[in-house]
Amino acid sequence: LCAPAAGVLLAISPACGQSFTVAREGDHWWLRDPKGQKFLCKAVNCVLFKDGMIPAGFPGYDVTRAPGFDAKAWGRTTAARIQGWGFNSVGSWSADEAYESGLPFAVCLHMVGGWDFMKLFEPAYEEELRGKRAEAVKRWASSPNLIGWFTDNELPWFGENGWSTGGQTLLQRFSSQPEGSAGRTAAEDFRKAFVPKPGGPSVDDAFAGAVARRYGEVTSRVLKTLDSRHMNLGVRFAGDAPDPVIEALGPFCDVVSVNVYRKNGRIPKRSLARFSVLSGNRPVMITEWSYRAMENRSGDKNEKGADVTVPTQADRAKKLRTYLEDLMSLPFVVGYHWFMYFDQSPGGRTLDGENSNYGLVDIHDREYTEVTSALKEMNAKAEILHGNSQPYAGPLTGTAVSPYSPAALSRDTLVLGPGAPPAAAPG
């Protein structure tokens, strides 16, 4: 731990001398920039000059076709553009030129990925992982503007996805591996040793926690070997995770990162407080959030993806104001990353068919001024709202389902399950 200043500032970053750190003053968490100034990470994801997932025969965002296009010049002008909207950082999956623009930035390493989970217990996997990610870490570790690393995104803690689908659990998946494999042995040994406790987690959730602990041990060792100076910004939960998973990963993270889409504009405060408390009273960063409108200039029908669909661009502006007012009322929140810079192709991105008006600009690079004006207004207020926020005092039992789950897609509400009160409240 870095030494607290006059007993007030508590920094939990693993080593002093980092470019950016996390710190707590009273009830409030903040990031600290390299000069020691308070910093909320207000970022935009996918700041790219070309959408790399445009399906054949459909239009999509691509400014490289403009006469005289220069990538480095684009990086500088685009950084100035998002700064003009009140953002101060570049988020995940952005162009190198955006990361080199001079703005602070965070990088998602995708260290394990959803299906490499099956390798986590293999003795040789840690060294394999170190070799796979060394180049990516080396690419950015020396930058003075690097905030830190997201180790992964929306991992399948429930078995098949990062949200509960009712399919195979991680215990079932590991148990179905070839006989004698490290993963199957770990699952079988865990099942034999597991003793259920009244009010405690199920064997499936408990094993998910064991996988998370193994994940945290392996990825944190790899990351510290490759770069000990920058923060571990967590796994970008898909809105939810079993309690044992959050508890297991907390000690390995400087920040708990969660993707939270809310159609009604109201933040699930209880759920976010739960993430903070169960992780060991860590600060929380929202790493994806957005709104999309049926009225848009890209022809997007918003048929796939998180359902945050509203009728008009004015409605998008209204919802985002409510969202940020709610979010900044939580003193343990240290930032938010809008998804995404431009609209997706109306043909649906090649990855999964998403065809959403998530963009701050349309596929023709024209900004949605109602949205960007609202963001400029709210970004300017964020530090004041955060500084005036009060500790969350509501109940902490129960779990909010992911915004991707069928229940959340059909109705914008919290769906609660059983849970034991955590041992301590934030602060």
Side-chain angles (χ1 to χ4, degrees):
L1 298 181
C2 298
V8 175
L9 181 65
L10 173 64
I12 66 166
S13 299
C16 296
Q18 292 179 311
S19 296
F20 286 81
T21 58
V22 285
R24 181 175 175 178
E25 290 185 340
D27 294 319
H28 295 81
W29 283 101
W30 299 88
L31 298 179
R32 292 276 179 178
D33 70 15
K35 296 181 180 179
Q37 300 300 308
K38 294 177 183 178
F39 183 80
L40 292 177
C41 186
K42 299 175 283 189
V44 181
N45 289 314
C46 304
V47 182
L48 300 160
F49 45 73
K50 180 179 180 178
D51 183 351
M53 290 186 282
I54 304 171
F58 286 91
Y61 187 81
D62 183 1
V63 297
T64 65
R65 294 172 292 190
F69 172 79
D70 178 85
K72 290 189 180 298
W74 170 89
R76 293 189 296 270
T77 58
T78 303
R81 190 183 201 183
I82 66 174
Q83 278 185 298
W85 300 331
F87 292 100
N88 59 15
S89 307
V90 177
S92 297
W93 313 302
S94 295
D96 288 2
E97 291 79 6
Y99 291 150
E100 294 166 345
S101 67
L103 289 181
F105 65 95
V107 175
C108 185
L109 288 172
H110 294 284
M111 293 187 77
V112 172
W115 302 110
D116 258 10
F117 261 26
M118 299 300 102
K119 292 182 171 183
L120 275 171
F121 293 97
E122 294 177 7
Y125 181 63
E126 185 171 329
E127 190 59 35
E128 176 187 335
L129 185 59
R130 185 177 290 108
K132 284 182 176 180
R133 297 297 174 257
E135 189 60 34
V137 173
K138 182 181 178 181
R139 177 73 179 85
W140 301 113
S142 62
S143 172
N145 297 314
L146 177 64
I147 298 169
W149 311 98
F150 301 110
T151 54
D152 270 290
N153 182 67
E154 299 191 345
L155 291 171
W157 299 114
F158 288 95
E160 295 181 350
N161 294 288
W163 54 95
S164 180
T165 59
Q168 276 198 327
T169 66
L170 281 180
L171 181 57
Q172 291 169 327
R173 285 182 57 199
F174 274 86
S175 297
S176 66
Q177 294 300 294
E179 189 170 353
S181 65
R184 179 165 175 170
T185 299
E188 291 173 345
D189 289 348
F190 187 90
R191 193 190 295 272
K192 291 175 184 176
F194 179 75
V195 178
K197 299 178 182 179
S202 66
V203 64
D204 289 298
D205 283 356
F207 181 72
V211 175
R213 183 167 57 253
R214 175 66 176 173
Y215 172 93
E217 291 168 349
V218 170
T219 58
S220 64
R221 282 196 297 263
V222 169
L223 198 52
K224 287 178 181 178
T225 299
L226 298 176
D227 174 25
S228 62
R229 295 182 57 246
H230 295 97
M231 290 190 293
N232 183 328
L233 300 175
V235 298
R236 302 172 65 104
F237 289 107
D240 195 11
D243 285 1
V245 170
I246 303 171
E247 292 172 331
L249 289 175
F252 301 103
C253 304
D254 296 291
V255 174
V256 179
S257 48
V258 192
N259 300 340
V260 179
Y261 293 87
R262 295 296 291 169
K263 187 172 183 176
N264 68 358
R266 310 308 310 200
I267 284 292
K269 295 183 181 182
R270 172 168 53 180
S271 180
L272 290 186
R274 167 178 163 266
F275 272 104
S276 178
V277 170
L278 292 182
S279 65
N281 292 332
R282 293 292 195 268
V284 173
M285 183 183 293
I286 304 303
T287 35
E288 284 186 32
W289 71 291
S290 194
Y291 289 94
R292 60 188 189 182
M294 294 308 298
E295 170 200 271
N296 63 80
R297 296 188 299 261
S298 297
D300 285 330
K301 295 182 179 180
N302 304 314
E303 295 164 313
K304 292 189 177 181
D307 182 12
V308 283
T309 312
V310 294
T312 69
Q313 295 299 317
D315 292 318
R316 288 179 85 197
K318 181 179 179 180
K319 294 291 186 182
L320 73 86
R321 286 189 177 97
T322 303
Y323 186 106
L324 288 180
E325 285 172 354
D326 260 15
L327 186 66
M328 288 295 96
S329 72
L330 297 172
F332 53 82
V333 171
V334 293
Y336 48 88
H337 294 203
W338 175 272
F339 186 84
M340 49 191 278
Y341 179 59
F342 51 78
D343 279 346
Q344 294 169 337
S345 169
R349 65 180 182 181
T350 54
L351 174 67
D352 56 10
E354 276 193 14
N355 55 353
S356 293
N357 163 232
Y358 290 139
L360 301 177
V361 300
D362 62 23
I363 60 173
H364 311 292
D365 200 35
R366 298 172 299 188
E367 72 175 279
Y368 292 106
T369 54
E370 297 101 325
V371 174
T372 55
S373 294
L375 283 166
K376 182 177 181 179
E377 171 195 336
M378 297 307 299
N379 284 335
K381 295 179 180 179
E383 286 80 6
I384 296 172
L385 293 172
H386 183 61
N388 293 332
S389 62
Q390 299 298 314
Y392 176 77
L396 292 172
T397 56
T399 300
V401 299
S402 162
Y404 301 108
S405 70
L409 290 174
S410 63
R411 62 187 188 278
D412 192 25
T413 184
L414 289 179
V415 180
L416 303 177

